[in-house]
Amino acid sequence: GNRPLRSTEAQTLANDFERLWLAAPAGLVSLADAHGCVDILSDETIAHSSYYAVNASRRLDCWIIVLTVFSSKTRRNAV
């Protein structure tokens, strides 16, 4: 799912593409998290969230989990 937004954050979504974020359910880990996006409302995070809203599937959910696990292991090894 997508990261949950506060109502004030949701109000800053400026167009239909950005508001696609709200079409998908909230999740524990998002596609943006899997790709290492830390800024909640960056263009990259919005793009990942909109992509997820349009292409949500169990397969994409599994891919997000794999990416998240892999990226967390990579970050731990880098420290």
Side-chain angles (χ1 to χ4, degrees):
N2 286 332
R3 293 176 181 174
L5 294 176
R6 294 183 187 105
S7 59
T8 55
E9 293 168 333
Q11 291 172 355
T12 65
L13 301 175
N15 55 51
D16 290 340
F17 175 75
E18 292 181 1
R19 284 188 288 276
L20 281 172
W21 185 317
L22 306 173
L28 297 175
V29 179
S30 71
L31 185 58
D33 295 327
H35 284 279
C37 300
V38 293
D39 184 9
I40 189 75
L41 289 174
S42 71
D43 289 341
E44 187 178 14
T45 301
I46 291 170
H48 286 305
S49 298
S50 296
Y51 177 88
Y52 180 82
V54 172
N55 296 292
S57 67
R58 191 169 292 282
R59 183 177 183 184
L60 182 55
D61 290 342
C62 291
W63 181 241
I64 290 169
I65 292 169
V66 168
L67 283 175
T68 303
V69 169
F70 178 72
S71 66
S72 70
K73 285 184 179 184
T74 304
R75 277 184 251 148
R76 267 190 277 155
N77 291 338
V79 174

